[in-house]
Every structure is written in structure tokens, then in C-alpha cells.
């Protein structure tokens, strides 16, 4: 099982670098960084959702649903706030 984890980490690193290169290419073609980030996040979410459905995670109830909701909201608010602050600094 440890070998599978290492393979998955290497695969994730490869895909991260690949999407970064594709993103750079798309930016040279005139795409906005926000659009590229949106599509990267959407494709990642779809892949993660498919993985969770295949493994059966959707059947496991959360032990602390309020904590999960709170952290999810914090992450959802933090991502756009970080993007806005980066955009203001680079402008």
C-alpha cells in the first residue's frame, strides 16, 4: 500500500506540472489566469468526486458535520480572497 501512495504522489506532481505548462501556453494565447484557474479547479473537482464515488466515500457519514461545514466555508471564502489579493498586488 505504501508503494501505491508514492505512485499517486508522483502522478499528482506530474499532473500539477503538466497543467502548469498547459496554463502557461493558454495564457500566451490570451486566456485570463482566472479562467484557467477555474477550469483547473473544476476538472480537479470532477476527478476527486469520481474517485470518491468509486471508493464509496459518499456512503460514509461525517463524524462532525458542523466542523466539516465550517472548514468547507472557510476554504470557500479563503480561495477567492487569496485570488483577489494576488490580483491587486500584481496590478
Amino acid at each position: 500500500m505504501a508503494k501505491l501512495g508514492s505512485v499517486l504522489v508522483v502522478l499528482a506532481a506530474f499532473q500539477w506540472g503538466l497543467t502548469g505548462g498547459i496554463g502557461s501556453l493558454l495564457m500566451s494565447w490570451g486566456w485570463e489566469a482566472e479562467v484557467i484557474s477555474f477550469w483547473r479547479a473544476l476538472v480537479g473537482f470532477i476527478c476527486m468526486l469520481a474517485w470518491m464515488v468509486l471508493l464509496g466515500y459518499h456512503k460514509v457519514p461525517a463524524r462532525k458535520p458542523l466542523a466539516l461545514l465550517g472548514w468547507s466555508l472557510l476554504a470557500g471564502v479563503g480561495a477567492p480572497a487569496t485570488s483577489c489579493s494576488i490580483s491587486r498586488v500584481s496590478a
Side-chain angles (χ1 to χ4, degrees):
M1 190 62 156
K3 289 182 181 180
L4 177 62
S6 299
V7 169
L8 290 175
V9 168
V10 168
L11 184 62
F14 173 74
Q15 290 174 344
W16 182 263
L18 186 66
T19 59
I22 292 171
S24 176
L25 183 65
L26 290 173
M27 287 182 73
S28 71
W29 289 345
W31 285 46
E32 296 290 326
E34 290 83 5
V35 174
I36 297 170
S37 296
F38 168 78
W39 284 108
R40 283 177 76 180
L42 183 66
V43 169
F45 175 73
I46 290 170
C47 291
M48 184 183 69
L49 190 63
W51 180 260
M52 291 178 72
V53 168
L54 287 174
L55 292 181
Y57 281 110
H58 63 286
K59 298 176 186 173
V60 179
R63 286 178 276 182
K64 297 181 180 179
L66 290 178
L68 178 63
L69 178 63
W71 283 110
S72 299
L73 289 173
L74 180 65
V77 169
T82 304
S83 176
C84 290
S85 65
I86 291 172
S87 296
R88 287 186 190 138
V89 169
S90 63

